[in-house]
Amino acid sequence: MQYINIANRGVKSLSPYQAGKPIEELERELGISNIVKLASNENPFGFPESAKKAIFEQLDKLTRYPDANGFELKQTIARKFGVQPNQITLGNGSNDLLELFAHTFATEGDEIIYSQYAFIVYPLVTKAINAVAKEIPAKNWGHDLQGFLTALSDKTKLIYIANPNNPTGNFLTSQEIEDFLAEVPQNVIVVLDEAYTEFTSSEERVDSFRLLKKYSNLIISRSLSKAYGLAGLRIGYAVSNPEIADLLNRVRQPFNCNSLALTAAVAVMNDDEFVEKVAENNRVEMRRYEDFCQKNQLEYIPSKGNFITIDFKRPAAPIYDALLHEGVIVRPIAGYGMPNHLRISIGLPEENDKFFTALSKVFQFA
């Protein structure tokens, strides 16, 4: 039996998501140790102590279902950002939310707009529901918002904008976002995916919650996997107007966020000191990556995330493989249509030193 013949038509064109190679897998394959993983934009400081303490206090309650509505976490988010709890939708990571938006507002034949070189989950969820993908050619590796506006039609239901963008790190200013929202019809939902917003400086960061008060068709999506260090627990949240949040919560699976994720999220969202430490390391080490690339005449895409994408001007797969043999895992992004690029997550100073040494050996820069 060829089960692909009875699968959803959109699913037939999909390939499984390729995550960054785990450290354990590389250890098995090559028999090496002291591996540095700079592939998945994870938090280099590890699991925050504030979240660890909260989890230990929760362990004896794991025979009970989690709070289906995430009351305490919603209250924490509401207080932190000046929104109301009935504007919040919780997700099993922001990926869960990105899929939830599509299931709620689009169906077969509807159009979903996103950028070339944007997060690969956008085309994945679009195809999975048999919606029509309108991928807009990138402008300087980032979003061409004027191209988005030109592509609008009566069938457009949803627009995804990643800011900063993954995997290129491009960033749209608050004014660019607001000018765009002012031109989008109210019956088209705009998703502002801000998974990496904590790595932008406070002066340049988009005040998206202010925009939410003005544009009722806006959904803000955020993750606690990156700056907050909870990637393994899978927790994210969306903020929208109450009517949209009500619709999302009708479609959201009950108990989609587990008890440990909920309690850890509350703790770390109150841990501003930890998040600032993470962001400061990212600022300092990003400058080191930029200096390294400039010194060695490597072209890179300026990034506002916790990663940097380097253009090697030739197929990057052999470079990726050579780095693996040096015990450094980075991310090939040929699947994004960028076969000459590698994306490198910003790690701790000693991890970044190992990358610089490994790449220098591979390219004989020194």
Side-chain angles (χ1 to χ4, degrees):
M1 176 67 184
Q2 293 286 313
Y3 288 104
I4 193 170
N5 294 328
I6 61 172
N8 179 309
R9 179 166 52 84
V11 173
K12 294 178 184 179
S13 64
L14 295 176
S15 299
Y17 177 81
Q18 298 296 318
K21 182 184 284 289
I23 290 174
E24 295 79 9
E25 183 178 336
L26 186 60
E27 288 176 338
R28 289 194 303 268
E29 289 179 355
L30 300 182
I32 58 179
S33 57
N34 299 318
I35 294 168
V36 169
K37 184 184 178 188
L38 302 173
S40 300
N41 304 340
E42 294 155 332
N43 193 312
F45 285 94
F47 204 69
E49 287 298 321
S50 56
K52 190 180 298 185
K53 181 176 182 293
I55 280 178
F56 279 128
E57 295 173 357
Q58 185 71 25
L59 290 178
D60 289 339
K61 304 175 184 178
L62 293 185
T63 55
R64 305 292 184 187
Y65 282 106
D67 177 2
N69 293 313
F71 175 83
E72 191 173 359
L73 179 54
K74 286 183 178 180
Q75 293 291 327
T76 301
I77 294 168
R79 285 193 299 269
K80 190 175 186 70
F81 298 115
V83 298
Q84 297 301 313
N86 66 349
Q87 294 180 260
I88 299 168
T89 307
L90 302 179
N92 186 246
S94 60
N95 281 21
D96 181 33
L97 294 165
L98 297 173
E99 184 176 12
L100 180 62
F101 306 150
H103 279 293
T104 303
F105 291 106
T107 189
E108 184 168 357
D110 290 334
E111 295 174 353
I112 297 178
I113 294 175
Y114 51 84
S115 179
Q116 181 187 24
Y117 310 131
F119 190 29
I120 207 164
V121 167
Y122 307 157
L124 190 155
V125 299
T126 301
K127 293 176 182 178
I129 63 171
N130 288 323
V132 177
K134 298 188 82 171
E135 182 179 280
I136 308 306
K139 183 178 181 181
N140 298 323
W141 300 105
H143 294 67
D144 179 3
L145 295 184
Q146 186 56 51
F148 279 35
L149 293 173
T150 302
L152 287 169
S153 78
D154 292 341
K155 294 184 178 180
T156 305
K157 289 292 186 71
L158 197 63
I159 298 172
Y160 286 109
I161 297 174
N163 198 45
N165 184 51
N166 174 31
T168 63
N170 299 80
F171 181 72
L172 296 163
T173 66
S174 186
Q175 192 62 57
E176 288 174 315
I177 295 290
E178 182 159 13
D179 290 347
F180 174 74
L181 289 169
E183 297 293 326
V184 177
Q186 288 294 293
N187 63 338
V188 176
I189 303 297
V190 178
V191 176
L192 189 57
D193 181 359
E194 294 189 318
Y196 297 91
T197 192
E198 291 84 7
F199 298 102
T200 61
S201 67
S202 57
E203 305 83 49
E204 67 187 352
R205 189 170 303 160
V206 175
D207 188 356
S208 47
F209 296 107
R210 178 187 65 81
L211 295 176
L212 188 62
K213 296 175 182 177
K214 189 173 180 180
Y215 300 100
S216 61
N217 58 331
L218 177 63
I219 300 176
I220 299 162
S221 174
R222 290 190 175 179
S223 170
L224 280 81
S225 297
K226 314 301 181 188
Y228 292 96
L230 303 185
L233 287 176
R234 312 306 302 125
I235 185 79
Y237 61 94
V239 185
S240 59
N241 81 57
E243 184 181 356
I244 287 178
D246 174 63
L247 294 169
L248 295 174
N249 282 312
R250 296 182 193 188
V251 180
R252 179 184 63 86
Q253 290 291 317
F255 311 116
N256 65 330
C257 301
N258 69 72
S259 299
L260 300 185
L262 291 170
T263 196
V266 170
V268 79
M269 287 206 76
N270 288 315
D271 193 349
D272 293 337
E273 182 179 350
F274 175 79
V275 175
E276 179 51 38
K277 177 177 69 172
V278 172
E280 177 60 21
N281 176 79
N282 194 71
R283 284 189 286 270
V284 172
E285 294 300 304
M286 180 68 79
R287 287 194 291 271
R288 294 184 65 213
Y289 271 88
E290 293 171 345
D291 291 344
F292 175 84
C293 288
Q294 291 164 8
K295 175 184 175 183
N296 294 289
Q297 298 181 320
L298 286 171
E299 189 171 309
Y300 64 92
I301 303 172
S303 172
K304 295 294 185 180
N306 65 338
F307 56 87
I308 189 168
T309 299
I310 299 176
D311 184 357
F312 292 93
K313 301 298 182 183
R314 59 187 173 92
I319 302 166
Y320 166 74
D321 288 334
L323 289 171
L324 289 181
H325 284 80
E326 295 298 322
V328 177
I329 307 173
V330 296
R331 186 66 182 272
I333 48 177
Y336 283 87
M338 302 173 70
N340 293 345
H341 295 74
L342 293 175
R343 190 193 70 191
I344 301 95
S345 304
I346 307 299
L348 297 173
E350 58 271 24
E351 295 174 321
N352 301 325
D353 287 341
K354 183 164 185 174
F355 169 78
F356 298 146
T357 300
L359 189 59
S360 296
K361 180 179 178 180
V362 169
F363 268 172
Q364 298 183 340
F365 287 145

